[in-house]
Amino acid sequence: MPQEPGAHEPPELQQAPPTAPSPTSSVPAELGDLAALKALAQPRRQRILEHLTLHGPATSATLARALSLNTGSTSYHLRELARYGFVEETDGEETDGEEGQARSSPSQHRERWWRVVPGDRRFPPRSRQSPEMRHVMDELNHHAYAADLNLFERLQRESAEGDPWADAFPYSRGTIRLTLPELREFFEGYIALLNRYKRPESETPTDARTLLTRFLAFPVPSAPPAAAPMPTVDGDPERHDPARHASVAQRPAHNRGEADPS
């Protein structure tokens, strides 16, 4: 979902969420139109985009059932998202399973299937956002982060015993010291890494699953907060072990309490 770096970071760092698509181009495009951002920030449209991202193309009726909405509402929101290039109609050929079978069945009325438009759209840096745009971005981020956390926790709770994917929650918390140019390079390296693993559906193994990736980096506040008492273990202050901190980057998220001594 969206990432909102700090006020002095360059435009290249402002990447829109995976569910905020753009024309199919490898060249980043800035999403600076206020009307488009307002369309994207609407909570129900965020849910629609999330469903299309996770489950692939769908009809307004399918989305209405999945999201407990009425088809009139989903149809309206889909048209608004399409108006700004976030979704588009598709013939449904890439849809598998029950929905795909239903799509291929003869019907008197043509069903309208929708999919997320892929691409690399980025938000303008906060220093170039108007007060109204900042308000919209804050709302967008609030809903997006809350949805991410809810989905992450739900997937952990629902992981089946013995499922090899139950441990597929790698995460890392760390700190680095960078200049603004270095931060730009770091971010672009992250995007390049994601793109390196992207491939057409025809080349994707059958046992592959869709993974959600989120990147967030922000500078430490200039004025540190008042120091809190150090935790103790058996009466001794717990010491920060850099080696221990570095070694937990690949541990599954359900070990985070054990991994992070801070």
Side-chain angles (χ1 to χ4, degrees):
M1 302 302 272
Q3 291 134 102
E4 181 72 75
H8 301 292
E9 293 177 9
E12 290 84 354
L13 293 178
Q14 318 299 317
Q15 190 198 31
T19 50
S22 65
T24 53
S25 170
S26 59
V27 178
E30 187 170 283
L31 183 61
D33 180 66
L34 182 60
L37 290 173
K38 286 182 176 180
L40 180 64
Q42 212 281 346
R44 289 185 176 180
R45 292 171 197 160
Q46 284 285 300
R47 294 174 61 198
I48 288 173
L49 286 169
E50 180 183 86
H51 189 279
L52 292 176
T53 299
L54 298 180
H55 305 290
T59 65
S60 61
T62 301
L63 291 166
R65 289 193 299 269
L67 304 177
S68 299
L69 302 172
N70 61 65
T71 54
S73 176
T74 54
S75 294
Y76 167 73
H77 290 307
L78 284 166
R79 289 195 300 270
E80 286 299 296
L81 290 169
R83 177 183 178 186
Y84 295 102
F86 297 116
V87 303
E88 65 183 1
E89 284 195 66
T90 178
D91 56 16
E93 289 181 355
E94 62 268 59
T95 305
D96 299 321
E98 182 179 344
E99 292 181 2
Q101 295 172 7
R103 173 67 182 88
S104 60
S105 302
S107 174
Q108 293 181 343
H109 303 285
R110 175 180 174 271
E111 290 182 309
R112 301 182 70 180
W113 285 75
W114 301 87
R115 68 178 177 186
V116 170
V117 179
D120 186 356
R121 289 252 176 147
R122 308 191 182 188
F123 299 133
R126 197 167 181 84
S127 59
R128 287 200 285 105
Q129 295 174 15
S130 66
E132 186 177 6
M133 183 179 291
R134 288 186 181 186
H135 175 74
V136 172
M137 288 297 304
D138 289 344
E139 283 294 305
L140 193 158
N141 285 329
H142 172 76
H143 292 296
Y145 291 142
D148 283 344
L149 182 59
N150 179 69
L151 183 60
F152 180 81
E153 293 179 340
R154 195 191 93 196
L155 289 172
Q156 285 196 308
R157 290 194 305 268
E158 297 176 358
S159 295
E161 192 70 29
D163 181 1
W165 285 91
D167 290 336
F169 294 86
Y171 86 118
S172 174
R173 298 174 72 237
T175 58
I176 50 178
R177 292 178 63 84
L178 301 175
T179 64
L180 282 175
E182 289 172 336
L183 179 56
R184 180 190 298 115
E185 182 181 355
F186 184 90
F187 180 80
E188 293 300 337
Y190 166 78
I191 297 301
L193 179 63
L194 288 182
N195 290 332
R196 197 175 90 195
Y197 284 90
K198 288 183 178 180
R199 54 195 165 189
E201 190 64 31
S202 59
E203 300 176 11
T204 302
T206 56
D207 60 345
R209 290 182 60 173
T210 298
L211 296 178
L212 300 180
T213 60
R214 301 292 184 260
F215 175 89
L216 177 66
F218 51 91
V220 174
S222 300
M230 292 186 64
T232 60
V233 178
D234 297 330
D236 294 328
E238 184 176 28
R239 300 169 185 262
H240 177 70
D241 184 348
R244 182 186 179 202
H245 180 76
S247 68
V248 302
Q250 299 305 320
R251 293 186 185 180
H254 57 258
N255 289 335
R256 61 184 179 272
E258 167 193 335
D260 184 11
S262 59

